Amino acid sequence: MFTAACVVATAMPAAAAPAVNSTIDLRTLRVSVVDTDAMDGQEAAMQSSAVARSAWVCEGPVRPAGCDFGDFGAETTQDPAVTASDSLTVPGSWDGLAVAAPDRLSSDVTGTGTTGPTGTNTALLQNFWFDGAGRFTVEVDYSLSASGLDGITFREVYAWAGIIFFGTQGFAQAEEWLAAPASGTAARSGTLSFSRDFQHGDFIQAFIHTHVHTLSPIAAPVPEPATWALMLAGLAGIGVVCRRRT
């Protein structure tokens, strides 16, 4: 009876499984142009076209193709009314879900396994052309949440949302990111905003993107000092109880 009691007492609580999400609300997407040169005789104007929405879930050994950074993913649609989605389950490890819908982009990962850095992704690709001289602004609302970082199994539970721009004037981006705290859940929401001046004939390609991933330690896991203290205190207490009962 006493031995069984000691064995039960030494059982460690299970680590919380990570859960991480990045969402961009496309219903809030706002694009505006302001004329900055009233003397050029040409009113600033913009034309745009949505190229595609894509969703892709990556895990190197399971799905190596199409999962490098910058690649479009497994599911892509050019129909503005159609949802592109992709999912992947690694048995006994983790589940990833990517949804690129007309009203939102959403990336999720749950489970005790680690995805690696490519993780779960969605994107909306949109092109813009400009006339005259002006200032171009893009805004869209986002939300991020991340939990399950236990300090032993996982070194990073990470959510990212951003707008990446390529074009005549080079590369730029607006981004927000969130990493899980040492315990509990972190959450953040707000508005991604980007502005850039343009000249007549300029071109911009906007890549609105969500991404989440989980990473485990590269080396053997080393508990944090606070974790070690709790473990040692617990074991010391168990030893006292066992000696007294024997």
Side-chain angles (χ1 to χ4, degrees), residues 11-242:
M12 294 295 176
V20 58
N21 168 266
S22 173
T23 297
I24 289 178
D25 186 351
L26 296 178
R27 297 170 299 179
T28 67
L29 181 61
R30 305 172 292 278
V31 182
S32 61
V33 167
V34 176
D35 195 309
T36 58
D37 188 352
M39 305 301 293
D40 65 356
Q42 185 171 18
E43 184 177 357
M46 173 194 70
Q47 301 179 50
S48 68
S49 67
V51 178
R53 278 177 286 109
S54 290
W56 65 109
V57 183
C58 303
E59 200 271 341
V62 176
R63 187 181 294 178
C67 283
D68 293 330
F69 287 116
D71 284 355
F72 261 142
E75 299 294 334
T76 298
T77 180
Q78 294 179 315
D79 188 330
V82 172
T83 295
S85 64
D86 191 26
S87 62
L88 178 63
T89 295
V90 180
S93 185
W94 61 274
D95 293 282
L97 176 64
V99 177
D103 63 341
R104 75 187 190 283
L105 304 175
S106 182
S107 297
D108 288 274
V109 165
T110 58
T112 57
T114 57
T115 67
T118 47
T120 299
N121 308 266
T122 63
L124 166 65
L125 180 62
Q126 192 156 0
N127 292 335
F128 299 90
W129 298 266
F130 300 96
D131 297 317
R135 188 163 183 80
F136 163 72
T137 299
V138 178
E139 295 179 308
V140 68
D141 294 349
Y142 73 91
S143 62
L144 307 172
S145 65
S147 65
L149 183 67
D150 58 21
I152 302 175
T153 309
F154 295 93
R155 68 180 178 91
E156 188 168 84
V157 180
Y158 180 87
W160 184 94
I163 312 173
I164 304 170
F165 298 89
F166 304 92
T168 308
Q169 299 184 34
F171 166 84
Q173 70 181 37
E175 64 176 353
E176 293 289 341
W177 62 270
L178 183 70
S183 62
T185 300
R188 180 187 306 153
S189 61
T191 300
L192 293 164
S193 181
F194 176 86
S195 295
R196 168 164 284 188
D197 292 335
F198 63 84
Q199 300 298 319
H200 182 72
D202 278 359
F203 167 78
I204 292 178
Q205 188 171 69
F207 190 68
I208 303 173
H209 184 35
T210 67
H211 166 82
V212 297
H213 69 243
T214 58
L215 299 178
S216 60
I218 297 174
V222 177
E224 295 176 346
T227 305
W228 272 120
L230 289 172
M231 292 172 63
L232 292 174
L235 289 173
I238 291 166
V240 171
V241 172
C242 290

